[in-house]
Amino acid sequence: MAFSLFGKRDKSDQQPDQPTAVASEPQEPKRGLFDRMKQAVTRTRESFSESISSVIALTREVDETTLVNLEPLLLAADLGAPTTALVMENLRRRALRVGIQGGDDLKRLLRAELKQVLDSVARPITHPATPPEVIMMVGVNGTGKTTTTGKLAAYFTAQGRTVLLCAADTFRAAAIEQLEVWAQRSDVQIIKTKQGGDPSAALYDACAAAKARNTQVLIVDTAGRLHTKTDLMKELDKMRRTAEKLVPGAPHQTLLVMDATTGQNGLTQARLFTEAAHVTGIVLTKLDGTAKGGIVLAIATELKLPVVYAGIGEKLEDIIPFDSGSFIDSLLD
Ligand SMILES: Nc1nc2c(ncn2[C@@H]2O[C@H](COP(=O)(O)OP(=O)(O)O)[C@@H](O)[C@H]2O)c(=O)[nH]1
Ligand SMILES: [Mg+2]
């Protein structure tokens, strides 16, 4: 049975577009960001959008069979079971209420439902009245913390903000050197200690330096850790307290860096991490390297946290502020 039989489409029932996730940062032109997002999610779009098109092409009218066929596509794009169930339930409810006449209608409603999932966790970005703003990068090994720290330094500098980096991954000498290379690339200063040193001591020095120099943003690169390593999680707590002592309200942002290619496994890990580390937002890296970009939606429903930035490659400029509208349009176009 086609849904167009259940109800007439009422234009006034359409949801207006919600505000997008990132509103208050100085932006490069929207079009440029959209093109970069589109490029980054090419692999996801190719599998997701094409399979949706083939489901729609099978039928003239959208009916229950169409919806049943849509479900595995959402799962395949890595939306995860809870998010897929939520989106399908909302689509069915809307189909009954307003009718879905054809493929274009279905796509439009799907777009609205997916965007709603992301916008429900969007938070406006605010900067503290008194600098520095302290941003801590946390997460497991290899997700892209150091790379993202380096990219963000360049990104904020391009916005005209002054930046200081803190090498608080004192585990490996290579980690400190790696961050130094990034600091040189974006021409910002770095505060470090020797390998094996106390990360909180490095952070103390960095906070003091940022205050003395009136630096606007202090980005802290930390060592990779698992939420199960109690000592390392305590070390994060100590770092937070150290920052707070010197800079009221710090850390202002704690960004969990997640690797998009690890999919649902990364999500399970992230859930436990966010609880322990007071995470305020997600940086999703390697979006360029996966066909499962739907993980962004799973993050929203399951972690209740917004993706704030997306890593879209290995170079300095390969970071974009995450925008829900561009992301969903990029997937469905
Ligand atoms: N393709 C791609 N590679 C990335 C991205 N972010 C980080 N990487 C790579 O991931 C690897 C680990 O990054 P690193 O910053 O050292 O991770 P960390 O251990 O969390 O500090 C490096 O080879 C990076 O070049 C991204 O957005 N896209
Ligand atoms: Mg690192």
Side-chain angles (χ1 to χ4, degrees):
M1 195 187 318
F3 287 113
S4 47
L5 298 178
F6 297 153
K8 269 215 150 63
R9 183 148 58 92
D10 174 5
K11 289 260 191 267
S12 65
D13 203 51
Q14 294 171 20
Q15 281 195 347
D17 278 0
Q18 302 287 319
T20 48
V22 176
S24 63
E25 299 216 333
Q27 295 285 320
E28 48 188 299
K30 264 258 173 307
R31 189 74 222 165
L33 278 180
F34 179 68
D35 289 343
R36 294 171 73 201
M37 175 66 89
K38 209 168 162 185
Q39 171 70 31
V41 301
T42 299
R43 290 184 54 196
T44 308
R45 178 179 55 253
E46 278 172 3
S47 61
F48 188 57
S49 190
E50 276 166 25
S51 47
I52 285 184
S53 298
S54 59
V55 163
I56 288 172
L58 288 177
T59 174
R60 260 189 208 195
E61 292 206 78
V62 175
D63 55 15
E64 180 56 27
T65 315
T66 320
L67 293 188
V68 166
N69 290 334
L70 184 63
E71 193 160 346
L73 307 185
L74 301 184
L75 289 169
D78 226 14
L79 265 72
T83 313
T84 300
L86 175 78
V87 170
M88 291 309 298
E89 189 193 317
N90 288 344
L91 270 181
R92 280 205 171 83
R93 194 179 303 135
R94 281 240 238 168
L96 285 171
R97 209 174 57 214
V98 302
I100 301 181
Q101 282 168 344
D104 286 347
D105 249 15
L106 177 64
K107 237 177 161 173
R108 189 176 52 72
L109 285 189
L110 180 62
R111 179 191 183 283
E113 292 302 343
L114 295 178
K115 188 161 184 297
Q116 175 56 35
V117 167
L118 298 181
D119 288 337
S120 67
V121 293
R123 301 173 185 178
I125 292 179
T126 53
H127 304 301
T130 320
E133 174 174 2
V134 180
I135 305 177
M136 267 175 75
M137 313 300 295
V138 301
V140 299
N141 264 323
T143 51
K145 290 176 299 302
T146 305
T147 306
T148 305
T149 303
K151 289 176 184 176
L152 281 179
Y155 177 74
F156 293 139
T157 304
Q159 291 180 346
R161 302 176 79 195
T162 48
V163 176
L164 182 67
L165 298 184
C166 174
D169 179 355
T170 60
F171 244 59
R172 297 173 299 128
I176 301 169
E177 287 157 19
Q178 189 190 353
L179 193 66
E180 282 183 307
V181 172
W182 282 106
Q184 281 158 15
R185 281 182 195 150
S186 48
D187 196 22
V188 302
Q189 301 287 308
I190 178 171
I191 301 288
K192 57 177 182 174
T193 176
K194 59 185 184 313
Q195 184 194 354
D198 178 3
S200 291
L203 180 55
Y204 186 97
D205 290 348
C207 287
K211 279 171 73 171
R213 300 173 194 178
N214 214 13
T215 307
Q216 283 162 307
V217 195
L218 170 62
I219 316 175
V220 188
D221 182 31
T222 67
R225 68 200 71 214
L226 288 169
H227 64 277
T228 47
K229 298 281 181 214
T230 317
D231 289 354
L232 289 175
M233 293 310 280
K234 277 193 185 143
E235 184 185 87
L236 270 190
D237 272 340
K238 186 177 165 197
M239 289 170 73
R240 296 178 63 86
R241 288 196 306 274
T242 303
E244 222 271 322
K245 245 180 253 164
L246 271 86
V247 181
H252 305 89
Q253 295 190 60
T254 301
L255 298 180
L256 176 68
V257 182
M258 272 179 79
D259 176 342
T261 64
T262 58
Q264 297 290 323
N265 286 337
L267 192 65
T268 308
Q269 216 166 44
R271 187 179 305 115
L272 299 159
F273 211 110
T274 50
E275 287 162 13
H278 307 271
V279 173
T280 58
I282 305 291
V283 178
L284 191 64
T285 58
K286 311 183 197 181
L287 198 54
D288 53 301
T290 180
K292 293 183 175 283
I295 193 75
V296 172
L297 291 125
I299 288 170
T301 18
E302 296 183 51
L303 303 183
K304 304 271 180 283
L305 284 170
V307 172
V308 193
Y309 299 101
I312 57 170
E314 294 187 277
K315 297 195 299 295
L316 189 72
E317 65 275 18
D318 289 337
I319 189 157
I320 49 176
F322 187 83
D323 172 81
S324 60
S326 308
F327 178 73
I328 301 296
D329 285 347
S330 296
L331 285 193
L332 290 175
D333 262 12

